[in-house]
């Protein structure tokens, strides 16, 4: 009997194990007990995918979006590349190696580059951002093309290209042999400038000897032409009245009233030569103030008055100028671009007529205050600069010598 009960128990246990095994293999696909529940992005149970396939898909899509966000360009970056390639095709790549850029754009204007970049983009109907092309490749009018998305970026990219090209040109110029020669020439000219001012009223032979020692042919950068130019600067004998002055004074070595200004003009010409060769903007403020009193009659006027009995009137009252060393010009750099002379002129006029605390998009309050103070003290010209241009804006009437000096010192600036 015991054996029979043992056999029945053993058979019962076998059936129970088989039933348990069958139930284990027939659990529903969305049963949480078997970790088979699948959640979609909306949080509902998904009975189609096994496991957490919905979460896996969302994670994969998020990783893909993150990859594109980090490694793929946005519209602005992609358009920069497109526009730069257009400009490189037309002008050549920006480089500091001399001769690498083509000569077509050496004197290209902003409008020329702007027009070419627009024409180049109009032909570019390729996909701008490939990662977004799935939903737009069947869209109308090419929604994801460079021709449609990039024209608004042309203006700023043309300015960026011109700025880079300008800096590359300046860097290549500063490394050139011609720049080194012009620097030595300017050093010799500065030495001769000091000698000419110190020995200007000495005899011609003594002045020439001193100039030859300072900037003659044996001095690096010096030459006989330089000596001659400084020796003859401000010579009274340049006109018939000057010769008459010399004869009456019995002084064949006399210099004219504004001979210091003439010497400064010679030095300014050598400064411009160096600036053009090196791509720099060196300025030497050497505007000398005449020590003679222009209100007094000259020797020739005195002799003529004695002969005719008619006195020459004085041209100005003998008033001492407390600001006799005030600079002839003031150089200012604006915070924003000034694209034409009219804007620069209006800017100076506004600075002269408005309070210094008036809000201005181009100049700071300190600059406006300095301009007004300089104008009161006798400054006659304001040089307005931005990142690529400069303008000469006079605010008072200048003499011929002052006009020539400013024109030589700022030969690259627009005067009207």
């Amino acid at each position: 009997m015991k054996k029979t009960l043992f056999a029945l128990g053993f058979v019962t246990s076998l059936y129970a194990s088989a039933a348990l095994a069958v139930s284990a293999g027939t659990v529903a696909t969305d049963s949480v007990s078997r970790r088979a529940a699948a959640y979609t992005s909306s949080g509902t149970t998904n009975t189609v995918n096994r496991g957490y396939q919905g979460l896996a898909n969302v994670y994969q899509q998020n990783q893909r979006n993150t990859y594109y966000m980090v490694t793929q360009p946005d519209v602005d970056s992609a358009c920069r590349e497109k526009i730069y390639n257009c400009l490189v095709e037309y002008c050549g790549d920006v480089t500091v190696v001399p001769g690498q850029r083509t000569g077509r754009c050496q004197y290209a204007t902003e409008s020329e580059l702007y027009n070419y970049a627009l024409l180049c983009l109009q032909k570019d109907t390729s996909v701008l951002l490939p990662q977004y092309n799935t939903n737009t490749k069947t869209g109308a009018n090419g929604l994801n093309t460079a021709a449609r998305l990039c024209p608004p970026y042309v203006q700023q990219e043309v300015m960026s290209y011109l700025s880079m090209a300008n800096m590359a040109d300046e860097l290549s110029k500063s490394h050139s042999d011609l720049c080194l020669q012009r620097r030595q020439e300017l050093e010799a000219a500065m030495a001769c400038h000091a000698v000419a001012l110190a020995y200007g009223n000495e005899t011609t032979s003594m002045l020439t000897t001193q100039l030859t020692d300072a900037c003659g042919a044996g001095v690096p950068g010096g030459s006989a032409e330089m000596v001659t130019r400084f020796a003859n600067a401000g010579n009274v004998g340049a006109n018939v009245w000057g010769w008459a002055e010399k004869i009456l004074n019995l002084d064949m070595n006399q210099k004219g009233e504004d001979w210091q200004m003439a010497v400064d003009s010679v030095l300014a010409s050598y400064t411009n030569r160096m600036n053009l060769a090196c791509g720099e903007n060196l300025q030497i403020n050497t505007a000398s103030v005449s020590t003679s009193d222009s209100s007094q009659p000259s020797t020739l006027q005195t002799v003529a008055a004695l002969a005719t009995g008619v006195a020459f009137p004085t041209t100005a009252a003998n008033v001492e100028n407390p600001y006799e060393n005030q600079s002839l010009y003031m150089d200012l750099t604006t915070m924003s671009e000034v694209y034409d002379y009219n804007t620069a002129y209006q800017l100076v006029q506004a600075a002269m007529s408005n309070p210094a605390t008036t809000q201005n998009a181009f100049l700071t309050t300190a600059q406006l205050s300095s301009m007004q103070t300089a104008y009161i003290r006798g400054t006659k010209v304001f040089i307005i600069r931005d990142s690529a241009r400069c303008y000469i804006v006079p605010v008072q009437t200048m003499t011929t010598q002052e006009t020539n000096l400013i024109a030589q010192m700022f030969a690259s600036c627009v005067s009207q």
Side-chain angles (χ1 to χ4, degrees):
M1 185 65 181
K2 292 182 179 180
K3 293 181 178 180
T4 303
L5 292 175
F6 176 76
L8 290 174
F10 179 73
V11 172
T12 303
S13 63
L14 290 177
Y15 277 107
S17 299
L20 182 59
V22 171
S23 64
T26 58
V27 175
T29 58
D30 58 351
S31 174
V32 180
S33 64
R34 298 295 298 168
R35 301 178 56 84
Y39 294 89
T40 62
S41 59
S42 61
T44 60
T45 302
N46 183 359
T47 59
V48 177
N49 299 322
R50 286 190 61 84
Y52 290 91
Q53 187 63 40
L55 282 177
N57 292 338
V58 172
Y59 176 77
Q60 183 180 13
Q61 182 64 32
N62 182 64
Q63 291 293 99
R64 184 181 297 111
N65 292 341
T66 303
Y67 169 78
Y68 283 132
M69 186 182 301
V70 174
T71 61
Q72 298 297 318
D74 55 350
V75 175
D76 180 76
S77 300
C79 285
R80 286 175 183 270
E81 183 178 358
K82 291 282 187 180
I83 298 171
Y84 184 79
N85 290 336
C86 286
L87 295 175
V88 167
E89 177 187 357
Y90 186 65
C91 296
D93 200 356
V94 175
T95 176
V96 296
V97 179
Q100 292 296 320
R101 296 177 59 225
T102 58
R104 175 182 295 179
C105 294
Q106 186 175 4
Y107 300 103
T109 61
E110 179 183 342
S111 59
E112 177 184 348
L113 299 182
Y114 180 77
N115 292 335
Y116 180 82
L118 281 180
L119 292 175
C120 179
L121 287 178
Q122 291 303 315
K123 298 184 296 182
D124 191 351
T125 57
S126 59
V127 175
L128 184 65
L129 303 177
Q131 66 271 25
Y132 300 124
N133 194 40
T134 303
N135 298 327
T136 60
K137 65 181 181 180
T138 59
N141 300 326
L143 298 178
N144 190 14
T145 61
R148 183 179 182 87
L149 298 177
C150 293
Y153 299 94
V154 171
Q155 182 70 32
Q156 64 183 21
E157 289 310 304
V158 167
M159 294 303 298
S160 176
Y161 181 86
L162 287 175
S163 178
M164 290 189 297
N166 184 48
M167 289 187 292
D169 287 341
E170 291 181 357
L171 186 58
S172 62
K173 284 181 179 180
S174 64
H175 292 167
S176 64
D177 295 336
L178 180 61
C179 176
L180 179 59
Q181 296 175 7
R182 291 290 184 260
R183 288 183 188 278
Q184 292 181 341
E185 184 182 64
L186 179 59
E187 291 178 1
M190 293 179 69
C192 265
H193 176 267
V195 170
L197 291 179
Y199 296 90
N201 286 322
E202 299 293 338
T203 62
T204 302
S205 59
M206 182 176 182
L207 175 61
T208 303
T209 301
Q210 296 293 333
L211 290 174
T212 303
D213 294 339
C215 61
V219 179
S223 63
E225 177 190 1
M226 184 180 297
V227 172
T228 302
R229 292 186 63 184
F230 278 103
N232 294 334
N235 207 334
V236 171
N239 54 65
V240 63
W241 300 112
W243 279 111
E245 288 276 357
K246 284 188 174 184
I247 294 173
L248 292 173
N249 286 317
L250 299 178
D251 184 1
M252 294 294 102
N253 301 297
Q254 182 187 3
K255 295 291 183 181
E257 177 184 346
D258 296 323
W259 66 271
Q260 296 101 328
M261 193 75 71
V263 173
D264 292 345
S265 298
V266 176
L267 178 61
S269 66
Y270 286 104
T271 305
N272 286 333
R273 285 162 61 93
M274 192 277 295
N275 286 337
L276 291 175
C278 300
E280 295 185 2
N281 188 29
L282 178 65
Q283 300 171 23
I284 302 178
N285 188 8
T286 57
S288 301
V289 178
S290 177
T291 56
S292 62
D293 190 353
S294 60
S295 64
Q296 298 297 324
S298 64
T299 305
L300 185 62
Q301 290 176 332
T302 302
V303 174
L306 292 175
T308 59
V310 178
F312 285 84
T314 58
T315 57
N318 295 328
V319 179
E320 182 179 358
N321 180 15
Y323 308 112
E324 62 180 5
N325 292 325
Q326 178 66 25
S327 175
L328 175 64
Y329 65 91
M330 174 174 283
D331 204 323
L332 300 161
T333 302
T334 61
M335 297 181 293
S336 303
E337 299 296 325
V338 181
Y339 293 103
D340 51 39
Y341 182 83
N342 292 333
T343 303
Y345 179 81
Q346 294 174 4
L347 177 61
V348 173
Q349 295 302 316
M352 295 294 99
S353 58
N354 295 330
T357 55
T358 304
Q359 186 176 4
N360 194 304
F362 296 91
L363 298 173
T364 63
T365 301
Q367 288 175 316
L368 294 174
S369 178
S370 300
M371 290 176 66
Q372 295 175 2
T373 303
Y375 175 75
I376 294 174
R377 293 183 175 181
T379 295
K380 297 184 178 182
V381 181
F382 289 103
I383 310 300
I384 305 300
R385 298 180 181 277
D386 59 11
S387 62
R389 294 159 288 268
C390 64
Y391 305 94
I392 303 174
V393 182
V395 291
Q396 297 186 41
T397 303
M398 295 185 294
T399 64
T400 303
Q401 292 82 2
E402 292 172 342
T403 303
N404 293 337
L405 176 63
I406 293 297
Q408 293 182 24
M409 294 183 66
F410 303 100
S412 61
C413 296
V414 179
S415 59
Q416 60 182 1

